Amino acid sequence: GAGVDHPLAVPGGVFILPTAGLGPVPVLTNAAGPVVTLSTGGISNTVSGFQLLASAGNDGLLAMGVPNGATLSDLTIIGAGGGAGSGIDIMNSSGTFNITNTTIQGFDGAAFNLVNGNATVNFSGTINNTVGSVLNIAGTTGGTATFNGAINSDGGGGIQLTNVGGNVNVAANTQILNTAGGADALNI
């Protein structure tokens, strides 16, 4: 984002990513795995102002075992389809994930996947999915997941909640579920 340095650790030191002025945002891709993987090293993770293009079957953004949450903003996360990848995949993590002005679309897996751990999620943005679920929340042991913004499932798996140990809040006026899956809740 504007005015924020984005350091990138590379062999031999740290590289400060260039800032973008007016115009298109930088596009990140990765053909062999998640486009962005958050650090588990106890640092503060911040990702802002990018378009993430995930290849088939891969995640746009992966947070596995992240202990301190993250700040994610001004992101467009697009899946190529053809596999079980997710737009945002938070697994076995804790802390608070504040996600604003973010759009997720085009994933065959869950567009937003929150599995295990006790993370708190505050999502404000848009989720569109036509194949996989728009939300999958499973096996959490605590935390609160709050979703505000447009949530559209047109033919996908809808909202899936299984063995949820925390709270899930989805603003009722923000969801359009045109799917056989609708909203499934098991053992919550």
Side-chain angles (χ1 to χ4, degrees):
V4 177
D5 283 341
H6 295 285
L8 178 64
V10 295
V14 174
F15 174 76
I16 303 297
L17 293 172
T19 57
L22 297 175
V25 297
V27 177
L28 304 178
T29 63
N30 182 1
V35 178
V36 171
T37 301
L38 298 182
S39 171
T40 59
I43 66 167
S44 176
N45 286 286
T46 300
V47 179
S48 179
F50 292 99
Q51 184 178 73
L52 310 180
L53 296 178
S55 58
N58 290 308
D59 294 333
L61 186 139
L62 175 64
M64 182 177 290
V66 172
N68 298 324
T71 300
L72 312 173
S73 64
D74 303 312
L75 300 173
T76 300
I77 305 171
I78 301 171
S86 295
I88 294 179
D89 196 354
I90 301 173
M91 301 175 65
N92 300 310
S93 294
S94 57
T96 300
F97 290 79
N98 290 312
I99 306 164
T100 57
N101 197 32
T102 293
T103 298
I104 305 169
Q105 66 188 38
F107 286 88
D108 285 0
F112 195 104
N113 196 41
L114 176 61
V115 177
N116 301 328
N118 61 0
T120 293
V121 172
N122 299 306
F123 181 90
S124 176
T126 302
I127 302 174
N128 296 307
N129 232 19
T130 58
V131 178
S133 309
V134 284
L135 299 176
N136 179 57
I137 302 175
T140 58
T141 58
T144 298
T146 302
F147 296 88
N148 291 300
I151 297 175
N152 304 304
S153 178
D154 190 7
I159 297 173
Q160 307 293 313
L161 308 174
T162 307
N163 298 320
V164 175
N167 298 310
V168 178
N169 303 309
V170 177
N173 63 343
T174 63
Q175 58 180 315
I176 299 172
L177 302 175
N178 180 18
T179 174
D184 295 331
L186 303 171
N187 300 319
I188 61 169

